[in-house]
Structure formats: structure tokens, C-alpha cells
Amino acid sequence: MDHAADAHRTDLMTITRFVLNEQSKYPESKGDFTILLNNIVLGCKFVCSAVNKAGLAKLIGLAGETNVQGEEQKKLDVLSNEVFVKALISSGRTCILVSEEDEEATFVSPPLRGKYCVVFDPLDGSSNIDCGVSIGTIFGIYTMKGSDPTIEDVLQPGKDMLAAGYCMYGSSCMFVLSTGNGVNGFTLDPSLGEFILTHPDIKIPKKGKIYSVNEGNAKNWDVSTAKYVDNCKYPKDGSLPKSLRYVGSMVADVHRTLLYGGVFLYPADKKSPNGKLRVLYEVFPMSFLMEQAGGQAFTGKKRALELVPKKIHERSPIFLGSYDDIEEIKEIYAAEGSNALCP
Ligand SMILES: O=P(O)(O)OC[C@H]1O[C@](O)(COP(=O)(O)O)[C@@H](O)[C@@H]1O
Ligand SMILES: [Mg+2]
Ligand SMILES: [Mg+2]
């Protein structure tokens, strides 16, 4: 056995070692990012174990509160939010936190203040919590621009994000991360309590066979969305129809899209003129990952990562997935426009 050659194999590459290797590429780095990420990973492990035993631990059902989005919060929404706020602040590396579950941004005071701004959806796919279908956590990381944190530090375009990722709590627990050098996936080994690199350098297929959308909104769609989905079902070019897959958890639908290819879309419609998904902690992180994996992310008008949000809970329509499939959607929108709502 040539042990020396084996030393470089990615087997048993934990996420901590992976990030430390990444860090070594930046000699000036003091390890702040590694410590921050370590606490995000810890938060995900905590939430993963709570999700796995939700039915046993009476963590199913409503918390009795309503969040800023007007949604009834689930017990696990509230628990996950508390876990991540604590994990992020105790890292001593954050200055601003924006959570889906908190109306205002949280400004971290010294001495625990650091240079990173973290935007996050502590539990994504809340409508699937009580039935045990895959859900997740989504996050994005920016660097503070000045010496003191201001809300402008999180109202930056998505392309200025430093890193983004999600953790999916499904049949296996997967942590998917990009620090701007491609996308890597890690699977939690429950017996070790370690995330192990299992999906190095994820690249989305250039074209896919799957489309993912809530067709229940079809009567409210604009002409372009209706035309694209019609093309998926009744292709005009003689190709095979695409298959429909929709979990209703963005993390699960985007994770499948990243690995298998195709498109996930949550368009604007008469009911939700700005779509449903939130720019900072859903649209941006997933768009960042999609582009890093060779795909695209489009709003119906522009590249999603070019958006500059004005409010922390702002929403945007989103189409993300395989490069060629998003090109097709962009051509339809260029021809039909994005304001022509279905009659
Ligand atoms: O039920 P709908 O309208 O299809 O919406 C599903 C979408 O809403 C979400 O559940 C919104 O996220 P939260 O669960 O974090 O609020 C997404 O995960 C999902 O893609
Ligand atoms: Mg969400
Ligand atoms: Mg959520």
C-alpha cells in the first residue's frame, strides 16, 4: 500500500480540515472565517438532531407566534433561530445577523463583535416540518465594509457575498458550501458526528430533465412563466417532456437541481407580484451556489446576484438551475417580457 499517495485522497476529509486547507491558501488569514463556519456547522448538527427526534421531543407543531412575514412560526423555526443566533454571536466573529424569523437585524456589540455579516433562514421548508419531509438551513456571509456595522453592510448585491451554503435535513444530512472556489458537499456521519466530504467540486449538468415549480399557482403566472412550463410539458423541438419534481422546501428542490440538473423556479404572479422567496437568505445564497456550480440564477429581468436589496426581508422572483435551461427562460422573457400577466 503506497500510504504517501493515499495521503492526498479526499476520503475522510472532514469539513473542518477542508476549510483549514482552504484557509491555508490565504497566508494573511487569522482563521476568523474558519471559526465562524465551525459554529455554523455546530448549529446545523444541533438542528439536525432536533429535527430527527421532533416527534419524540414534542417539537412538532406551532409555536403560537407569527413572524415578520405574517407566517405562523413552527416550534422548530423558533428553536433553530435561537440555536443559530447563539452559535453566530458566540463565535465572536459576527457584527450583523439577519434572520427570516427576526423582524429587525441583530447588531452584535463588542467584545463579541467581529467582521462578518450573516444572513440566514434557520429552517427552510417549514410547511414540511410536521410530516418529516426534507427541510434545511440556508446562509450567506458578507464582510463588513467599514469599521462600524451599518444596515448597508447586508444590503449589498449577492455577487459581493464571501460564501454561501445550506444544510439539508433529509434521508441523510448534507452540508453544501461555496467560498467562491466551486461547490463542495459534505455528508454527516452520525456515528462520528462529523461532516465528511462526499461530493467534491459539484458541477450542475448543462441541461436537465426536471422542472420544479408549484403548479398550483399556474392561473396567476405571467405569460413567460406559463410559456416556459408549457414547453417543459409539451416540448416544441421534439425532445422528451421534462419530469416535474416539487418538494416545497427550497433547500431540497435546489439540492436535487444542483445534483441532477434542471430548473427550480418560484416566479412572480398576480398573488405575489414579487414572488415568495426572500432575496438575502434564500435567493442570494442559492444563486451564489448555482453560479459556482456552473448554473445560472435569473429574476425574470436580470442576473439574480446583481440585485441590490433595499429591505432585509425583500422578496424576488427566481429561476435557477442548468445553464442551458435558464438561457431558454431568458430568451422567452426577452421575447414576452415579465409584466404580461396571463389573461
Ligand atoms: O408552498 P409554496 O407556495 O409552494 O412555497 C414553498 C416555498 O416556501 C418555502 O417554504 C419558504 O421558506 P420558509 O419555509 O423558510 O418560510 C420554501 O422553502 C419553498 O420553496
Ligand atoms: Mg425559506
Ligand atoms: Mg424558514
Side-chain angles (χ1 to χ4, degrees), residues 6 15 88 93 115 138 154 190 246-247 265 275 293 301 314:
D6 278 355
I15 191 163
L88 292 165
R93 298 304 183 279
K115 62 180 177 185
I138 310 172
V154 286
Y246 191 71
V247 176
L265 52 155
K301 289 194 177 93
E314 197 166 298

Side-chain angles (χ1 to χ4, degrees), residues 67 71 77 100-101 120-126 136 278 281-282:
N67 67 15
E71 296 158 348
D77 283 324
E100 177 198 3
E101 300 305 333
F120 63 103
D121 179 352
L123 210 58
D124 176 68
S126 305
R278 283 54 61 117
Y281 41 81
E282 291 170 324

Side-chain angles (χ1 to χ4, degrees), residues 120-133:
F120 63 103
D121 179 352
L123 210 58
D124 176 68
S126 305
S127 62
N128 283 322
I129 294 174
D130 294 355
C131 59
V133 168

